[in-house]
Amino acid sequence: MVRIGIISDTHGLLRPEVVEVLKDCDCILHAGDIDKPEILDRLRVMGAVYIVRGNNDRGWAQGLARTLRFTIEGVNFFMVHNKKDVDWSLGDVQIVVFGHSHKYFEEMIDGRLWLNPGGCGRKRFAQEITMAVMTVEDGKYTVEKILLPDTN
């Protein structure tokens, strides 16, 4: 069994509540808008990190991929920051992870899970502060929405 912490839109703020959840995860997905490389430095010491570049990730982030395909425990993922940039030839992708809107979204569309963990950095657009934790085992997965306190 693998626990995956899924975050997006930290915008330079890695909340202690987010770190507390991530420390119990085997790997971390960050769907972009990191804003500061120090955020990635902190995440990388916690385990394997899968990252895509968001529209606010400039300069230092030019080497980060805009899209990423990977497999964890037999589950195929596609990750991008903005859903409008999804490669529609998804093939055997089972889960599409994206960010950008700062709004949690979890829905099965055409047999695939589309998941936006929401924003867990600075509060924007009067949205909830959220992230997700996914548990994957033997090619099956479950997702838990994590609602975080609005402390910043």
mmCIF file with all atom_site columns, all heavy atoms in Angstrom, residues 35-52:
data_model
loop_
_atom_site.group_PDB
_atom_site.id
_atom_site.type_symbol
_atom_site.label_atom_id
_atom_site.label_alt_id
_atom_site.label_comp_id
_atom_site.label_asym_id
_atom_site.label_entity_id
_atom_site.label_seq_id
_atom_site.pdbx_PDB_ins_code
_atom_site.Cartn_x
_atom_site.Cartn_y
_atom_site.Cartn_z
_atom_site.occupancy
_atom_site.B_iso_or_equiv
_atom_site.pdbx_formal_charge
_atom_site.auth_seq_id
_atom_site.auth_comp_id
_atom_site.auth_asym_id
_atom_site.auth_atom_id
_atom_site.pdbx_PDB_model_num
ATOM 1   N N   . ASP A 1 35 ? 6.046  28.422 -6.775  1.00 0.00 ? 35 ASP A N   1
ATOM 2   C CA  . ASP A 1 35 ? 6.548  29.792 -6.614  1.00 0.00 ? 35 ASP A CA  1
ATOM 3   C C   . ASP A 1 35 ? 7.952  29.923 -6.041  1.00 0.00 ? 35 ASP A C   1
ATOM 4   O O   . ASP A 1 35 ? 8.655  30.858 -6.385  1.00 0.00 ? 35 ASP A O   1
ATOM 5   C CB  . ASP A 1 35 ? 5.601  30.678 -5.794  1.00 0.00 ? 35 ASP A CB  1
ATOM 6   C CG  . ASP A 1 35 ? 4.431  31.207 -6.608  1.00 0.00 ? 35 ASP A CG  1
ATOM 7   O OD1 . ASP A 1 35 ? 4.323  30.875 -7.803  1.00 0.00 ? 35 ASP A OD1 1
ATOM 8   O OD2 . ASP A 1 35 ? 3.625  31.950 -6.039  1.00 0.00 ? 35 ASP A OD2 1
ATOM 9   N N   . LYS A 1 36 ? 8.355  29.039 -5.140  1.00 0.00 ? 36 LYS A N   1
ATOM 10  C CA  . LYS A 1 36 ? 9.696  29.143 -4.549  1.00 0.00 ? 36 LYS A CA  1
ATOM 11  C C   . LYS A 1 36 ? 10.357 27.771 -4.528  1.00 0.00 ? 36 LYS A C   1
ATOM 12  O O   . LYS A 1 36 ? 9.757  26.801 -4.056  1.00 0.00 ? 36 LYS A O   1
ATOM 13  C CB  . LYS A 1 36 ? 9.605  29.657 -3.106  1.00 0.00 ? 36 LYS A CB  1
ATOM 14  C CG  . LYS A 1 36 ? 9.100  31.073 -2.977  1.00 0.00 ? 36 LYS A CG  1
ATOM 15  C CD  . LYS A 1 36 ? 9.066  31.482 -1.515  1.00 0.00 ? 36 LYS A CD  1
ATOM 16  C CE  . LYS A 1 36 ? 8.542  32.904 -1.367  1.00 0.00 ? 36 LYS A CE  1
ATOM 17  N NZ  . LYS A 1 36 ? 8.410  33.275 0.046   1.00 0.00 ? 36 LYS A NZ  1
ATOM 18  N N   . PRO A 1 37 ? 11.613 27.676 -4.983  1.00 0.00 ? 37 PRO A N   1
ATOM 19  C CA  . PRO A 1 37 ? 12.289 26.374 -4.996  1.00 0.00 ? 37 PRO A CA  1
ATOM 20  C C   . PRO A 1 37 ? 12.464 25.787 -3.598  1.00 0.00 ? 37 PRO A C   1
ATOM 21  O O   . PRO A 1 37 ? 12.580 24.570 -3.449  1.00 0.00 ? 37 PRO A O   1
ATOM 22  C CB  . PRO A 1 37 ? 13.631 26.667 -5.662  1.00 0.00 ? 37 PRO A CB  1
ATOM 23  C CG  . PRO A 1 37 ? 13.837 28.132 -5.544  1.00 0.00 ? 37 PRO A CG  1
ATOM 24  C CD  . PRO A 1 37 ? 12.473 28.748 -5.494  1.00 0.00 ? 37 PRO A CD  1
ATOM 25  N N   . GLU A 1 38 ? 12.456 26.616 -2.568  1.00 0.00 ? 38 GLU A N   1
ATOM 26  C CA  . GLU A 1 38 ? 12.606 26.119 -1.198  1.00 0.00 ? 38 GLU A CA  1
ATOM 27  C C   . GLU A 1 38 ? 11.470 25.167 -0.828  1.00 0.00 ? 38 GLU A C   1
ATOM 28  O O   . GLU A 1 38 ? 11.641 24.263 -0.003  1.00 0.00 ? 38 GLU A O   1
ATOM 29  C CB  . GLU A 1 38 ? 12.638 27.274 -0.189  1.00 0.00 ? 38 GLU A CB  1
ATOM 30  C CG  . GLU A 1 38 ? 13.799 28.228 -0.351  1.00 0.00 ? 38 GLU A CG  1
ATOM 31  C CD  . GLU A 1 38 ? 13.564 29.291 -1.430  1.00 0.00 ? 38 GLU A CD  1
ATOM 32  O OE1 . GLU A 1 38 ? 12.409 29.731 -1.648  1.00 0.00 ? 38 GLU A OE1 1
ATOM 33  O OE2 . GLU A 1 38 ? 14.556 29.673 -2.079  1.00 0.00 ? 38 GLU A OE2 1
ATOM 34  N N   . ILE A 1 39 ? 10.298 25.369 -1.419  1.00 0.00 ? 39 ILE A N   1
ATOM 35  C CA  . ILE A 1 39 ? 9.165  24.469 -1.170  1.00 0.00 ? 39 ILE A CA  1
ATOM 36  C C   . ILE A 1 39 ? 9.538  23.055 -1.616  1.00 0.00 ? 39 ILE A C   1
ATOM 37  O O   . ILE A 1 39 ? 9.323  22.080 -0.891  1.00 0.00 ? 39 ILE A O   1
ATOM 38  C CB  . ILE A 1 39 ? 7.895  24.949 -1.914  1.00 0.00 ? 39 ILE A CB  1
ATOM 39  C CG1 . ILE A 1 39 ? 7.479  26.343 -1.460  1.00 0.00 ? 39 ILE A CG1 1
ATOM 40  C CG2 . ILE A 1 39 ? 6.767  23.928 -1.790  1.00 0.00 ? 39 ILE A CG2 1
ATOM 41  C CD1 . ILE A 1 39 ? 6.930  26.439 -0.067  1.00 0.00 ? 39 ILE A CD1 1
ATOM 42  N N   . LEU A 1 40 ? 10.129 22.939 -2.800  1.00 0.00 ? 40 LEU A N   1
ATOM 43  C CA  . LEU A 1 40 ? 10.518 21.620 -3.307  1.00 0.00 ? 40 LEU A CA  1
ATOM 44  C C   . LEU A 1 40 ? 11.623 21.013 -2.457  1.00 0.00 ? 40 LEU A C   1
ATOM 45  O O   . LEU A 1 40 ? 11.636 19.797 -2.232  1.00 0.00 ? 40 LEU A O   1
ATOM 46  C CB  . LEU A 1 40 ? 10.961 21.712 -4.769  1.00 0.00 ? 40 LEU A CB  1
ATOM 47  C CG  . LEU A 1 40 ? 9.877  22.135 -5.748  1.00 0.00 ? 40 LEU A CG  1
ATOM 48  C CD1 . LEU A 1 40 ? 10.417 22.121 -7.172  1.00 0.00 ? 40 LEU A CD1 1
ATOM 49  C CD2 . LEU A 1 40 ? 8.644  21.260 -5.624  1.00 0.00 ? 40 LEU A CD2 1
ATOM 50  N N   . ASP A 1 41 ? 12.548 21.838 -1.979  1.00 0.00 ? 41 ASP A N   1
ATOM 51  C CA  . ASP A 1 41 ? 13.614 21.333 -1.109  1.00 0.00 ? 41 ASP A CA  1
ATOM 52  C C   . ASP A 1 41 ? 13.009 20.674 0.133   1.00 0.00 ? 41 ASP A C   1
ATOM 53  O O   . ASP A 1 41 ? 13.451 19.606 0.554   1.00 0.00 ? 41 ASP A O   1
ATOM 54  C CB  . ASP A 1 41 ? 14.557 22.463 -0.682  1.00 0.00 ? 41 ASP A CB  1
ATOM 55  C CG  . ASP A 1 41 ? 15.344 23.047 -1.850  1.00 0.00 ? 41 ASP A CG  1
ATOM 56  O OD1 . ASP A 1 41 ? 15.451 22.372 -2.902  1.00 0.00 ? 41 ASP A OD1 1
ATOM 57  O OD2 . ASP A 1 41 ? 15.838 24.177 -1.714  1.00 0.00 ? 41 ASP A OD2 1
ATOM 58  N N   . ARG A 1 42 ? 12.000 21.298 0.699   1.00 0.00 ? 42 ARG A N   1
ATOM 59  C CA  . ARG A 1 42 ? 11.350 20.750 1.898   1.00 0.00 ? 42 ARG A CA  1
ATOM 60  C C   . ARG A 1 42 ? 10.575 19.479 1.579   1.00 0.00 ? 42 ARG A C   1
ATOM 61  O O   . ARG A 1 42 ? 10.532 18.548 2.384   1.00 0.00 ? 42 ARG A O   1
ATOM 62  C CB  . ARG A 1 42 ? 10.442 21.790 2.532   1.00 0.00 ? 42 ARG A CB  1
ATOM 63  C CG  . ARG A 1 42 ? 11.256 22.945 3.132   1.00 0.00 ? 42 ARG A CG  1
ATOM 64  C CD  . ARG A 1 42 ? 10.451 23.903 3.938   1.00 0.00 ? 42 ARG A CD  1
ATOM 65  N NE  . ARG A 1 42 ? 9.731  23.256 5.034   1.00 0.00 ? 42 ARG A NE  1
ATOM 66  C CZ  . ARG A 1 42 ? 8.630  23.765 5.587   1.00 0.00 ? 42 ARG A CZ  1
ATOM 67  N NH1 . ARG A 1 42 ? 8.127  24.898 5.140   1.00 0.00 ? 42 ARG A NH1 1
ATOM 68  N NH2 . ARG A 1 42 ? 8.034  23.143 6.567   1.00 0.00 ? 42 ARG A NH2 1
ATOM 69  N N   . LEU A 1 43 ? 9.932  19.436 0.408   1.00 0.00 ? 43 LEU A N   1
ATOM 70  C CA  . LEU A 1 43 ? 9.153  18.255 0.035   1.00 0.00 ? 43 LEU A CA  1
ATOM 71  C C   . LEU A 1 43 ? 10.045 17.062 -0.284  1.00 0.00 ? 43 LEU A C   1
ATOM 72  O O   . LEU A 1 43 ? 9.724  15.924 0.076   1.00 0.00 ? 43 LEU A O   1
ATOM 73  C CB  . LEU A 1 43 ? 8.265  18.563 -1.174  1.00 0.00 ? 43 LEU A CB  1
ATOM 74  C CG  . LEU A 1 43 ? 7.164  19.603 -0.968  1.00 0.00 ? 43 LEU A CG  1
ATOM 75  C CD1 . LEU A 1 43 ? 6.438  19.862 -2.281  1.00 0.00 ? 43 LEU A CD1 1
ATOM 76  C CD2 . LEU A 1 43 ? 6.205  19.184 0.130   1.00 0.00 ? 43 LEU A CD2 1
ATOM 77  N N   . ARG A 1 44 ? 11.165 17.313 -0.944  1.00 0.00 ? 44 ARG A N   1
ATOM 78  C CA  . ARG A 1 44 ? 12.034 16.220 -1.394  1.00 0.00 ? 44 ARG A CA  1
ATOM 79  C C   . ARG A 1 44 ? 12.616 15.411 -0.238  1.00 0.00 ? 44 ARG A C   1
ATOM 80  O O   . ARG A 1 44 ? 12.910 14.231 -0.410  1.00 0.00 ? 44 ARG A O   1
ATOM 81  C CB  . ARG A 1 44 ? 13.148 16.769 -2.280  1.00 0.00 ? 44 ARG A CB  1
ATOM 82  C CG  . ARG A 1 44 ? 12.653 17.133 -3.657  1.00 0.00 ? 44 ARG A CG  1
ATOM 83  C CD  . ARG A 1 44 ? 13.789 17.593 -4.564  1.00 0.00 ? 44 ARG A CD  1
ATOM 84  N NE  . ARG A 1 44 ? 13.304 17.843 -5.896  1.00 0.00 ? 44 ARG A NE  1
ATOM 85  C CZ  . ARG A 1 44 ? 13.401 19.007 -6.520  1.00 0.00 ? 44 ARG A CZ  1
ATOM 86  N NH1 . ARG A 1 44 ? 13.991 20.037 -5.929  1.00 0.00 ? 44 ARG A NH1 1
ATOM 87  N NH2 . ARG A 1 44 ? 12.933 19.151 -7.734  1.00 0.00 ? 44 ARG A NH2 1
ATOM 88  N N   . VAL A 1 45 ? 12.773 16.005 0.927   1.00 0.00 ? 45 VAL A N   1
ATOM 89  C CA  . VAL A 1 45 ? 13.314 15.248 2.057   1.00 0.00 ? 45 VAL A CA  1
ATOM 90  C C   . VAL A 1 45 ? 12.263 14.310 2.661   1.00 0.00 ? 45 VAL A C   1
ATOM 91  O O   . VAL A 1 45 ? 12.585 13.448 3.469   1.00 0.00 ? 45 VAL A O   1
ATOM 92  C CB  . VAL A 1 45 ? 13.906 16.160 3.165   1.00 0.00 ? 45 VAL A CB  1
ATOM 93  C CG1 . VAL A 1 45 ? 15.044 16.998 2.617   1.00 0.00 ? 45 VAL A CG1 1
ATOM 94  C CG2 . VAL A 1 45 ? 12.850 17.030 3.806   1.00 0.00 ? 45 VAL A CG2 1
ATOM 95  N N   . MET A 1 46 ? 10.998 14.476 2.260   1.00 0.00 ? 46 MET A N   1
ATOM 96  C CA  . MET A 1 46 ? 9.922  13.631 2.791   1.00 0.00 ? 46 MET A CA  1
ATOM 97  C C   . MET A 1 46 ? 9.683  12.378 1.957   1.00 0.00 ? 46 MET A C   1
ATOM 98  O O   . MET A 1 46 ? 8.957  11.497 2.389   1.00 0.00 ? 46 MET A O   1
ATOM 99  C CB  . MET A 1 46 ? 8.624  14.440 2.884   1.00 0.00 ? 46 MET A CB  1
ATOM 100 C CG  . MET A 1 46 ? 8.669  15.503 3.946   1.00 0.00 ? 46 MET A CG  1
ATOM 101 S SD  . MET A 1 46 ? 7.043  16.219 4.207   1.00 0.00 ? 46 MET A SD  1
ATOM 102 C CE  . MET A 1 46 ? 7.312  17.837 3.531   1.00 0.00 ? 46 MET A CE  1
ATOM 103 N N   . GLY A 1 47 ? 10.234 12.314 0.745   1.00 0.00 ? 47 GLY A N   1
ATOM 104 C CA  . GLY A 1 47 ? 10.019 11.148 -0.104  1.00 0.00 ? 47 GLY A CA  1
ATOM 105 C C   . GLY A 1 47 ? 10.056 11.518 -1.566  1.00 0.00 ? 47 GLY A C   1
ATOM 106 O O   . GLY A 1 47 ? 10.452 12.617 -1.939  1.00 0.00 ? 47 GLY A O   1
ATOM 107 N N   . ALA A 1 48 ? 9.627  10.570 -2.411  1.00 0.00 ? 48 ALA A N   1
ATOM 108 C CA  . ALA A 1 48 ? 9.592  10.807 -3.856  1.00 0.00 ? 48 ALA A CA  1
ATOM 109 C C   . ALA A 1 48 ? 8.592  11.918 -4.160  1.00 0.00 ? 48 ALA A C   1
ATOM 110 O O   . ALA A 1 48 ? 7.506  11.956 -3.588  1.00 0.00 ? 48 ALA A O   1
ATOM 111 C CB  . ALA A 1 48 ? 9.204  9.527  -4.590  1.00 0.00 ? 48 ALA A CB  1
ATOM 112 N N   . VAL A 1 49 ? 8.975  12.828 -5.054  1.00 0.00 ? 49 VAL A N   1
ATOM 113 C CA  . VAL A 1 49 ? 8.119  13.960 -5.397  1.00 0.00 ? 49 VAL A CA  1
ATOM 114 C C   . VAL A 1 49 ? 7.948  14.015 -6.916  1.00 0.00 ? 49 VAL A C   1
ATOM 115 O O   . VAL A 1 49 ? 8.923  13.966 -7.659  1.00 0.00 ? 49 VAL A O   1
ATOM 116 C CB  . VAL A 1 49 ? 8.718  15.296 -4.890  1.00 0.00 ? 49 VAL A CB  1
ATOM 117 C CG1 . VAL A 1 49 ? 7.800  16.459 -5.231  1.00 0.00 ? 49 VAL A CG1 1
ATOM 118 C CG2 . VAL A 1 49 ? 8.975  15.253 -3.398  1.00 0.00 ? 49 VAL A CG2 1
ATOM 119 N N   . TYR A 1 50 ? 6.700  14.122 -7.354  1.00 0.00 ? 50 TYR A N   1
ATOM 120 C CA  . TYR A 1 50 ? 6.358  14.308 -8.765  1.00 0.00 ? 50 TYR A CA  1
ATOM 121 C C   . TYR A 1 50 ? 5.834  15.732 -8.895  1.00 0.00 ? 50 TYR A C   1
ATOM 122 O O   . TYR A 1 50 ? 4.920  16.124 -8.167  1.00 0.00 ? 50 TYR A O   1
ATOM 123 C CB  . TYR A 1 50 ? 5.286  13.309 -9.201  1.00 0.00 ? 50 TYR A CB  1
ATOM 124 C CG  . TYR A 1 50 ? 5.710  11.867 -9.075  1.00 0.00 ? 50 TYR A CG  1
ATOM 125 C CD1 . TYR A 1 50 ? 5.636  11.213 -7.850  1.00 0.00 ? 50 TYR A CD1 1
ATOM 126 C CD2 . TYR A 1 50 ? 6.173  11.158 -10.171 1.00 0.00 ? 50 TYR A CD2 1
ATOM 127 C CE1 . TYR A 1 50 ? 6.024  9.879  -7.721  1.00 0.00 ? 50 TYR A CE1 1
ATOM 128 C CE2 . TYR A 1 50 ? 6.552  9.824  -10.061 1.00 0.00 ? 50 TYR A CE2 1
ATOM 129 C CZ  . TYR A 1 50 ? 6.475  9.197  -8.827  1.00 0.00 ? 50 TYR A CZ  1
ATOM 130 O OH  . TYR A 1 50 ? 6.850  7.881  -8.709  1.00 0.00 ? 50 TYR A OH  1
ATOM 131 N N   . ILE A 1 51 ? 6.398  16.496 -9.836  1.00 0.00 ? 51 ILE A N   1
ATOM 132 C CA  . ILE A 1 51 ? 6.130  17.936 -9.903  1.00 0.00 ? 51 ILE A CA  1
ATOM 133 C C   . ILE A 1 51 ? 5.876  18.353 -11.345 1.00 0.00 ? 51 ILE A C   1
ATOM 134 O O   . ILE A 1 51 ? 6.549  17.884 -12.266 1.00 0.00 ? 51 ILE A O   1
ATOM 135 C CB  . ILE A 1 51 ? 7.372  18.727 -9.430  1.00 0.00 ? 51 ILE A CB  1
ATOM 136 C CG1 . ILE A 1 51 ? 7.857  18.238 -8.084  1.00 0.00 ? 51 ILE A CG1 1
ATOM 137 C CG2 . ILE A 1 51 ? 7.109  20.216 -9.410  1.00 0.00 ? 51 ILE A CG2 1
ATOM 138 C CD1 . ILE A 1 51 ? 9.340  18.476 -7.889  1.00 0.00 ? 51 ILE A CD1 1
ATOM 139 N N   . VAL A 1 52 ? 4.925  19.277 -11.529 1.00 0.00 ? 52 VAL A N   1
ATOM 140 C CA  . VAL A 1 52 ? 4.786  19.966 -12.806 1.00 0.00 ? 52 VAL A CA  1
ATOM 141 C C   . VAL A 1 52 ? 4.849  21.469 -12.553 1.00 0.00 ? 52 VAL A C   1
ATOM 142 O O   . VAL A 1 52 ? 4.570  21.938 -11.453 1.00 0.00 ? 52 VAL A O   1
ATOM 143 C CB  . VAL A 1 52 ? 3.483  19.607 -13.567 1.00 0.00 ? 52 VAL A CB  1
ATOM 144 C CG1 . VAL A 1 52 ? 3.520  18.172 -14.062 1.00 0.00 ? 52 VAL A CG1 1
ATOM 145 C CG2 . VAL A 1 52 ? 2.257  19.884 -12.741 1.00 0.00 ? 52 VAL A CG2 1
#
